[in-house]
Amino acid sequence: MSLSYKVIKPLLQTVNGKFSRWFSFFGMGLGVLLLLCSIQMFINIQQLLKGKATPKNGFDYIAVTKKVTNETMGQTEKNLFNETDIAGLKAQSFIYDIAPLISTNFELELSGGTILPFRTNLFLEAIRPDFLDTLPPDFNWREGKSMIPIIVSSDFLEVFNVFAPAYGYSQISRETASGIPVVITCYGADGSKEDFSAKIVAFSDRINSTLAPISFIEWANQKFGGQKATHYSRLYIKTKDANNPALLNFLDHKGYEVNKEKTRFGRVKQVMQGIFTGLGLFGLMVVILSLLLFSFYLQLIIAKSKENLQLLLSIGYSPRWLGKQIAGQMVPAYIFIILFALAVTIVLQFVFYHSLMNSRPELSAMVSIYVIAVALLLLLLAILANFKMLRIRLAKLS
Amino acid sequence: MQLEIHSILPSYFDESKKNLSEVWGKELLIKKGEFIKILAPSGSGKTSLIHFLYGLRKDYTGSILLNERNISSYSPEDWAACRKNNISIVFQDMRLFSKQTVAENIEIKRQLNPYHPAEKIKEMTIRLGIGEKLQSKCETCSYGEQQRVSIIRSLMQPFDFLLMDEPFSHLDDNNSKKAMELIIEESKIRNASIILVNLERVDYFPFSRLLHL
């Protein structure tokens, strides 16, 4: 036969003041809701930004150029980065890696060949493959190969589609653009010229340029330009946070320019995350306060029923069992409050996803698994904390 | 199971108390099945001794060993297990839940480690003359009735030692004898030892050893 709480229940004096008890329930519910919603919003922001800022492996990649002023205009050397500049940047702790955009040092032309009647001057650049946000397996070139794979900035296609109708061209999709064969003509300083066929193999959201494999650019610079590139107009920096004030100060001090849109976005991200971290901490504080209120409530029960509890302990009732029974009275309330807050969070996320965010693919209509894990952890902590506190109090009485 | 008492003395007693006592400052070994009677005048520390043996107080020098383990090392959980399985008690001041009925008071103890079925409560209360009081709140019972409730409560569990602190102080001879018979009967079923501490001689207690405190 197991011990029944029913028999000893009348011996435990309940505490008057239903208002304070309901107030604690309400406070805890509100705190848990705030905490869970903040975590969910924090995760939502992370997911939204992941799509926009294209952080690769948790890093931000930002482009850096030298500021062209009236004084430096026309002095190419002063407006380009050299190896010393790169070494100076590399030495900074907040810069994890750096790669130059190597540009062509000769004239080249892009044409539609015999299929499309267009011709334009062009530049090609190259960057280390690990700095690319998208790297198709066929993005490589070796000497003797007549096909050059090209990665084009997504923005270029967007711009083309904006002005195309005005020139009587039809707008084109990414898929169609990838299928168009084009011809790249390279002109050497000595008057030589060579045609290559080219194909768009990918679009980059990160790098605003027309990119060719690094092996091609190095080979072509040597062949048509007569020398290897040693100066670079743009560098890409790999950093943990594009919005790091130390990084921005350093770049300002050096007179370098960064992608303002990206850092502004980073600043917004930081502010948003700060707000939700603050809200989450506030929620956590409210949860802790309401747990404290519950704990006071239980301590009051012990104080009011001290004599009966002492007698129960002296006739052989275990402090552990008594603690479990008294703390157990709160468990259904805890379960209800936390599950209710979780249910409200689920509904809010659903509404947020469908109504406010128009079912954006980066987000999910369901709450994150972390939110559910935090809710369960809170429940476990609340139960364990009360049980432990009661056991200690009862052991002192025995 | 055995109880060893090694030279114990309440810390607030003078060392000279050891000279006249057969308990304080002495070596005692109490085995299961023994009936010990301790005769003690007022102020000699009767209740203190019972409380030391039951683990309610620790303000003594010397040591008490239960089954070769010093009881000073017992945790609250160890004491709970011991009071549930090995040692039962009849307090001098009864210590009943005054707002609960007689039946509830006994059931609270019985359900802890049921040695007897619930029907035994009624049988025992009838035997000790408080059968009609089962549904009365303890605060409405006389001291004599409360004392009998306290005795029956102590017999609801298994035990190796039954400690009794002036258990018949509010009972007349007739009721005391009835209670004594029941206690002896229950102790013999369990082959348990009784340690009875009293102010004066209780002639109807068939002790195997008499000690003066």
Side-chain angles (χ1 to χ4, degrees):
Chain A
M1 188 185 125
S2 60
L3 278 176
S4 156
Y5 176 69
K6 223 168 82 180
V7 180
I8 64 153
K9 197 182 172 191
L11 303 174
L12 302 174
Q13 304 226 1
T14 47
V15 178
N16 293 330
K18 277 189 175 171
F19 174 75
S20 61
R21 200 172 168 187
W22 281 107
F23 189 72
S24 310
F25 286 152
F26 178 74
M28 186 179 176
L30 198 69
V32 175
L33 183 65
L34 258 175
L35 182 65
L36 297 184
C37 283
S38 302
I39 294 170
Q40 184 55 48
M41 286 312 287
F42 198 92
I43 292 165
N44 284 347
I45 293 168
Q46 290 286 347
Q47 283 172 341
L48 281 170
L49 300 193
K50 202 196 262 175
K52 282 206 171 183
T54 59
K56 196 178 179 184
N57 306 326
F59 289 100
D60 275 325
Y61 293 81
I62 50 170
V64 181
T65 53
K66 280 194 173 178
K67 204 178 274 175
V68 180
T69 61
N70 286 338
E71 289 73 37
T72 60
M73 262 170 67
Q75 302 175 61
T76 319
E77 290 292 308
K78 286 193 176 171
N79 293 328
L80 296 176
F81 292 101
N82 55 32
E83 292 299 332
T84 319
D85 296 327
I86 293 175
L89 282 162
K90 240 182 198 168
Q92 305 307 312
S93 60
F94 37 77
I95 295 173
Y96 285 78
D97 203 355
I98 190 163
L101 265 173
I102 309 165
S103 55
T104 43
N105 58 3
F106 55 90
E107 270 184 46
L108 54 96
E109 203 175 69
L110 177 77
S111 66
T114 52
I115 301 167
L116 289 169
F118 81 91
R119 183 172 288 275
T120 178
N121 282 334
L122 180 75
F123 67 95
L124 283 176
E125 287 182 296
I127 195 164
R128 263 172 35 208
D130 57 311
F131 272 67
L132 291 169
D133 53 337
T134 167
L135 184 64
D138 54 351
F139 188 67
N140 53 59
W141 185 88
R142 61 175 192 281
E143 200 176 337
K145 201 172 156 188
S146 62
M147 167 69 74
I148 308 166
I150 287 174
I151 295 175
V152 177
S153 165
S154 310
D155 293 345
F156 290 2
L157 183 67
E158 201 179 309
V159 169
F160 175 81
N161 281 336
V162 168
F163 73 75
Y167 285 81
Y169 301 147
S170 64
Q171 289 173 310
I172 51 174
S173 66
R174 281 188 176 210
E175 292 71 28
T176 308
S178 304
I180 298 171
V182 288
V183 173
I184 288 174
T185 310
C186 301
Y187 295 94
D190 56 358
S192 62
K193 111 181 195 190
E194 190 171 341
D195 285 346
F196 295 89
S197 52
K199 190 184 159 197
I200 296 170
V201 290
F203 290 88
S204 171
D205 290 330
R206 182 185 297 159
I207 298 171
N208 273 328
S209 185
T210 318
L211 299 168
I214 207 160
S215 52
F216 173 76
I217 300 293
E218 280 178 349
W219 172 84
N221 275 349
Q222 195 72 49
K223 173 151 190 197
F224 302 108
Q227 58 178 345
K228 209 179 150 190
T230 49
H231 290 74
Y232 316 100
S233 58
R234 272 199 292 177
L235 300 176
Y236 264 82
I237 283 173
K238 180 181 176 184
T239 178
K240 275 277 180 200
D241 182 10
N243 204 38
N244 181 352
L247 169 70
L248 298 177
N249 283 344
F250 175 78
L251 297 177
D252 283 348
H253 173 72
K254 284 278 188 184
Y256 299 159
E257 283 195 318
V258 289
N259 181 336
K260 284 202 174 69
E261 181 57 33
K262 190 157 191 171
T263 50
R264 190 180 302 129
F265 195 67
R267 204 161 282 126
V268 170
K269 164 183 160 184
Q270 204 174 41
V271 171
M272 295 281 278
Q273 286 188 340
I275 289 169
F276 285 108
T277 306
L279 268 178
L281 285 175
F282 179 69
L284 190 66
M285 215 170 70
V286 176
V287 172
I288 291 169
L289 274 175
S290 30
L291 282 176
L292 276 176
L293 268 176
F294 281 125
S295 138
F296 289 145
Y297 177 78
L298 289 173
Q299 288 185 49
L300 208 57
I301 290 181
I302 292 187
K304 287 190 93 174
S305 317
K306 191 180 166 190
E307 279 184 19
N308 284 346
L309 283 168
Q310 265 175 334
L311 185 48
L312 282 171
L313 291 164
S314 70
I315 63 172
Y317 275 83
S318 133
R320 187 195 301 264
W321 184 84
L322 282 172
K324 217 188 261 181
Q325 298 308 310
I326 301 170
Q329 302 310 300
M330 284 292 173
V331 172
Y334 288 158
I335 292 176
F336 176 77
I337 291 168
I338 292 175
L339 289 187
F340 183 74
L342 183 61
V344 174
T345 310
I346 290 171
V347 171
L348 288 177
Q349 172 67 6
F350 189 82
V351 172
F352 176 75
Y353 174 74
H354 285 294
S355 303
L356 294 175
M357 299 310 288
N358 299 318
S359 311
R360 288 181 73 113
E362 303 96 313
L363 294 177
S364 164
M366 185 55 197
V367 292
S368 159
I369 187 81
Y370 293 110
V371 173
I372 297 169
V374 167
L376 295 179
L377 191 73
L378 267 180
L379 184 62
L380 193 73
L381 280 177
I383 294 169
L384 284 181
N386 271 342
F387 175 56
K388 182 108 183 136
M389 181 275 291
L390 281 169
R391 236 181 77 188
I392 293 168
R393 296 259 157 195
L394 288 168
K396 276 183 186 164
L397 282 183
S398 65
Chain B
M1 175 146 294
Q2 62 180 32
L3 184 67
E4 293 168 63
I5 297 171
H6 295 294
S7 193
I8 62 164
L9 183 72
S11 48
Y12 44 87
F13 270 9
D14 195 81
E15 284 285 320
S16 61
K17 282 271 186 188
K18 288 179 178 178
N19 301 335
L20 296 169
S21 173
E22 289 171 344
V23 177
W24 300 135
K26 303 293 183 298
E27 301 293 314
L28 292 171
L29 174 68
I30 302 168
K31 289 189 173 165
K32 263 190 86 168
E34 274 194 275
F35 289 178
I36 310 288
K37 182 170 167 180
I38 300 175
L39 206 56
S42 298
S44 57
K46 284 188 306 294
T47 302
S48 299
L49 175 66
I50 292 292
H51 284 190
F52 293 160
L53 296 176
Y54 197 60
L56 293 179
R57 282 170 59 180
K58 290 179 180 173
D59 47 345
Y60 59 88
T61 55
S63 58
I64 300 167
L65 276 68
L66 190 63
N67 239 9
E68 296 178 352
R69 188 179 158 201
N70 195 328
I71 62 169
S72 64
S73 68
Y74 275 33
S75 68
E77 288 299 326
D78 290 336
W79 273 118
C82 187
R83 290 166 189 166
K84 186 170 129 182
N85 306 314
N86 307 111
I87 302 181
S88 195
I89 192 165
V90 179
F91 291 107
Q92 184 192 26
D93 52 356
M94 277 83 79
R95 300 201 181 182
L96 299 171
F97 298 104
S98 56
K99 303 282 180 198
Q100 312 310 119
T101 65
V102 167
E104 283 166 345
N105 262 282
I106 302 171
E107 179 59 20
I108 284 167
K109 178 69 169 175
R110 196 195 71 84
Q111 75 147 2
L112 195 56
N113 189 2
Y115 186 79
H116 289 302
E119 302 77 56
K120 194 80 177 174
I121 298 175
K122 195 171 182 185
E123 188 192 312
M124 284 189 183
T125 48
I126 291 171
R127 193 167 157 185
L128 296 196
I130 51 169
E132 75 286 0
K133 289 281 178 182
L134 268 174
Q135 297 313 318
S136 306
K137 282 193 178 178
C138 278
E139 62 187 359
T140 65
C141 295
S142 70
Y143 282 133
E145 286 162 344
Q146 287 188 36
Q147 208 151 36
R148 280 173 277 177
V149 176
S150 177
I151 288 168
I152 295 170
R153 181 177 70 178
S154 73
L155 303 176
M156 284 295 121
Q157 65 166 84
F159 57 81
D160 301 305
F161 294 93
L162 176 62
L163 309 176
M164 295 199 287
D165 188 2
E166 295 193 55
F168 313 124
S169 55
H170 298 291
L171 296 180
D172 56 45
D173 268 4
N174 186 33
N175 279 314
S176 301
K177 272 179 202 163
K178 279 186 196 167
M180 193 75 250
E181 274 169 25
L182 180 65
I183 292 165
I184 289 167
E185 223 175 274
E186 289 292 323
S187 301
K188 281 188 173 165
I189 299 171
R190 296 166 175 85
N191 187 30
S193 180
I194 299 173
I195 300 172
L196 185 148
V197 184
N198 216 27
L199 271 171
E200 50 201 34
R201 297 180 71 89
V202 180
D203 293 330
Y204 34 83
F205 178 47
F207 57 85
S208 51
R209 221 181 330 168
L210 173 68
L211 298 166
H212 291 86
L213 193 62

